[in-house]
Amino acid sequence: EAGVAQSPRYKIIEKRQSVAFWCNPISGHATLYWYQQILGQGPKLLIQFQNNGVVDDSQLPKDRFSAERLKGVDSTLKIQPAKLEDSAVYLCASSYEDRVYYEQYFGPGTRLTVT
Amino acid sequence: AQTVTQSQPEMSVQEAETVTLSCTYDTSESDYYLFWYKQPPSRQMILVIRQEAYKQQNATENRFSVNFQKAAKSFSLKISDSQLGDAAMYFCAFGYQGGKLIFGQGTELSVKP
């Protein structure tokens, strides 16, 4: 079974530029999560999708971050414009359903450096 | 609001020895799960062990076991017979409604040969 795929693995941009990350969850997983992991900290949930609907985006900085999950499969997370404090690893995870009983499987992450 | 605290930023253990990583949490939820995740330098987060809050029996997975003290809101991870491959960041996480996870700050474990 293929795991959660993310691309790119690394990205370096200048502040005020835009960037997009892509995630392909495990086949059949209805729930998809995007986390932000700042160096030295634990992951923080940015947004949670159930199929193609948003369940929770309360911690997503909506003035600059946006995310979508068209057709309930792949998802993209966009930052526009980027700030220095957005430098972090962005992790995508998926689970079978949006219940804590189901394990979340994580992708390798995208490391973003904003200069 | 739920909070998770890992008070040990770094821990070190000798190969084949036992080490315990600490975690405390705070919540008003009655139905929840607790997890320990491992994040090796390659960055792919892997589930190590989980504990359902309603179960009194501590979870075990091979060399990994937990000490779950619900009243004290404590959830420690014990790694027995430590191996070089156990070296990683370990995150304690609190899971509740809707599949949400709240992570602690992490403990970096090094294993000395």
Side-chain angles (χ1 to χ4, degrees):
Chain A
E1 179 182 74
V4 176
Q6 291 187 249
S7 68
R9 292 296 309 277
Y10 305 91
K11 190 74 176 178
I12 301 174
I13 62 173
E14 295 182 351
K15 59 183 179 183
R16 291 187 291 274
Q17 286 187 324
S18 62
V19 65
F21 313 127
W22 173 81
C23 172
N24 180 240
I26 291 173
S27 177
H29 280 193
T31 310
L32 186 146
Y33 309 82
W34 282 102
Y35 291 88
Q36 180 192 58
Q37 186 178 17
I38 294 172
L39 185 64
Q41 299 182 18
K44 182 186 81 171
L45 179 68
L46 291 176
I47 189 168
Q48 176 184 352
F49 291 94
Q50 178 68 11
N51 296 309
N52 60 351
V54 175
V55 174
D56 185 353
D57 64 356
S58 58
Q59 298 198 80
L60 187 75
K62 298 181 186 64
D63 58 334
R64 298 183 299 107
F65 286 64
S66 65
E68 61 181 8
R69 189 182 184 199
L70 299 177
K71 300 181 181 179
V73 182
D74 293 5
S75 178
T76 56
L77 176 69
K78 298 179 181 177
I79 307 175
Q80 181 179 12
K83 292 185 175 182
L84 295 176
E85 59 260 36
D86 297 331
S87 293
V89 175
Y90 290 85
L91 297 170
C92 179
S94 71
S95 65
Y96 182 71
E97 286 288 346
D98 61 344
R99 289 179 55 196
V100 69
Y101 172 81
Y102 294 105
E103 180 179 346
Q104 289 189 28
Y105 294 85
F106 286 80
T110 296
R111 182 187 296 273
L112 173 67
T113 302
V114 182
T115 64
Chain B
Q2 281 62 236
T3 60
V4 178
T5 303
Q6 294 179 249
S7 58
Q8 306 155 316
E10 299 176 348
M11 291 285 285
S12 180
V13 64
Q14 205 74 28
E15 195 175 6
E17 297 294 311
T18 296
V19 65
T20 298
L21 308 184
S22 301
C23 173
T24 58
Y25 63 96
D26 193 20
T27 184
S28 57
E29 299 279 339
S30 58
D31 183 19
Y32 58 89
Y33 285 60
L34 294 162
F35 305 86
W36 279 98
Y37 279 88
K38 172 185 178 181
Q39 190 176 44
S42 66
R43 294 242 167 232
Q44 193 125 13
M45 195 90 72
I46 303 167
L47 179 64
V48 175
I49 195 166
R50 65 189 221 171
Q51 173 80 41
E52 294 90 332
Y54 64 87
K55 288 188 177 179
Q56 293 186 342
Q57 186 174 4
N58 289 325
T60 61
E61 287 287 343
N62 301 313
R63 297 182 296 108
F64 299 87
S65 62
V66 300
N67 183 3
F68 175 45
Q69 301 290 327
K70 191 172 183 178
K73 295 181 180 175
S74 170
F75 182 62
S76 61
L77 174 69
K78 185 172 80 171
I79 305 175
S80 304
D81 185 26
S82 296
Q83 301 175 0
L84 295 177
D86 294 334
M89 283 291 288
Y90 285 82
F91 291 97
C92 176
F94 175 93
Y96 63 116
Q97 62 180 5
K100 298 174 184 22
L101 292 179
I102 307 295
F103 286 87
Q105 305 92 318
T107 296
E108 184 171 9
L109 177 67
S110 59
V111 181
K112 298 179 180 179

